[in-house]
Amino acid sequence: QKEVEQDPGPLSVPEGAIVSLNCTYSNSAFQYFMWYRQYSRKGPELLMYTYSSGNKEDGRFTAQVDKSSKYISLFIRDSQPSDSATYLCAMTLWTTDSWGKLQFGAGTQVVVTP
Amino acid sequence: GAVVSQHPSWVICKSGTSVKIECRSLDFQATTMFWYRQFPKQSLMLMATSNEGSKATYEQGVEKDKFLINHASLTLSTLTVTSAHPEDSSFYICSAKSDFRDENTEAFFGQGTRLTVV
């Protein structure tokens, strides 16, 4: 069983719709959660991070973490064609040795159609 | 945000040759750098953790004699793929973290290196 599970998609939505992405994980020791966006043949870029359960908003993006269910989500409101990319969830332990050592989900390919 | 630069962006090499990939932190000192590999339509898989001035720590299943990592300074780590084979063709990505740690710390990623072994 993978430590981080993420549906690879593709997920196709019309422009303006809400994109809903999620990941589940098995290691309850993970404490720091991130969402990255990756365009084709590029390195990942950080979208959002959080280290506690609950919601965090940043513009059109909302990240949710439910540690009791080991479930994290990312919502993109008013989606645009430029949001078309692969979205990767990632998480890490809060320890000196593990900080920055990320466990990634498989990534979900999102296509926003005009 | 901080900048991590990888070079080259893409490289084609012949089977049996060695290829070196550089990862530089341009505006911060990175005590630790990470090397990931990503196959098409798959997620990033951590290969090794590179600490400045010490030997790299490799993940299970990664051949340390094949993937040589050197972290000689606080701004540069290199990954050398030795005796490359076609199955080594992949997208290699480095990330770096600074030597401070707070809730806003993130691991900054390079743009990746596309390696094709023919």
Side-chain angles (χ1 to χ4, degrees):
Chain A
Q1 182 189 7
K2 295 180 182 177
E3 279 197 289
V4 182
E5 297 278 359
Q6 184 178 8
D7 187 335
L11 177 64
S12 183
V13 299
E15 183 175 358
I18 295 175
V19 176
S20 176
L21 304 164
N22 57 76
C23 290
T24 59
Y25 61 96
S26 58
N27 188 348
S28 59
F30 286 134
Q31 295 195 44
Y32 202 69
F33 306 91
M34 287 144 282
W35 285 96
Y36 284 86
R37 178 173 60 196
Q38 186 179 24
Y39 292 109
S40 181
R41 303 192 176 197
K42 299 290 185 184
E45 55 176 325
L46 182 67
L47 286 176
M48 295 191 70
Y49 63 89
T50 184
Y51 55 89
S52 59
S53 286
N55 293 356
K56 182 177 181 180
E57 279 195 27
D58 184 0
R60 297 185 295 115
F61 299 92
T62 299
Q64 283 186 352
V65 175
D66 182 347
K67 288 186 177 180
S68 62
S69 300
K70 300 191 188 71
Y71 186 90
I72 66 172
S73 300
L74 177 71
F75 300 97
I76 308 173
R77 292 183 298 279
D78 188 23
S79 58
Q80 305 295 313
S82 57
D83 293 327
S84 298
T86 296
Y87 291 80
L88 300 132
C89 63
M91 46 201 76
T92 188
L93 307 175
W94 189 283
T95 66
T96 302
D97 293 336
S98 299
W99 188 258
K101 185 176 175 179
L102 304 177
Q103 293 292 333
F104 282 89
T108 299
Q109 183 184 358
V110 173
V111 178
V112 181
T113 55
Chain B
V3 177
V4 175
S5 176
Q6 248 181 277
H7 178 81
S9 297
W10 60 271
V11 58
I12 300 174
C13 71
K14 290 185 177 180
S15 186
T17 62
S18 296
V19 175
K20 180 185 285 188
I21 303 170
E22 292 186 349
C23 179
R24 293 181 184 272
S25 56
L26 298 186
D27 53 0
F28 68 100
Q29 293 185 327
T31 53
T32 305
M33 290 185 174
F34 304 89
W35 288 95
Y36 293 83
R37 180 167 54 186
Q38 185 178 34
F39 291 107
K41 299 192 177 183
Q42 295 186 29
S43 188
L44 285 77
M45 297 298 296
L46 180 66
M47 298 175 67
T49 302
S50 167
N51 292 298
E52 185 266 336
S54 63
K55 290 183 178 180
T57 303
Y58 290 81
E59 296 299 300
Q60 191 174 10
V62 178
E63 299 175 60
K64 61 180 180 181
D65 294 330
K66 180 169 184 63
F67 299 100
L68 301 179
I69 293 173
N70 183 279
H71 193 156
S73 76
L74 287 171
T75 59
L76 174 64
S77 176
T78 60
L79 168 68
T80 301
V81 183
T82 63
S83 186
H85 290 283
E87 56 265 33
D88 298 324
S89 299
S90 187
F91 194 52
Y92 292 86
I93 307 175
C94 70
S95 74
K97 72 178 182 78
S98 63
D99 56 359
F100 64 88
R101 189 174 304 109
D102 61 27
E103 66 185 43
N104 294 314
T105 298
E106 64 177 274
F108 302 100
F109 283 86
Q111 72 271 36
T113 297
R114 173 75 58 187
L115 170 63
T116 301
V117 184
V118 297

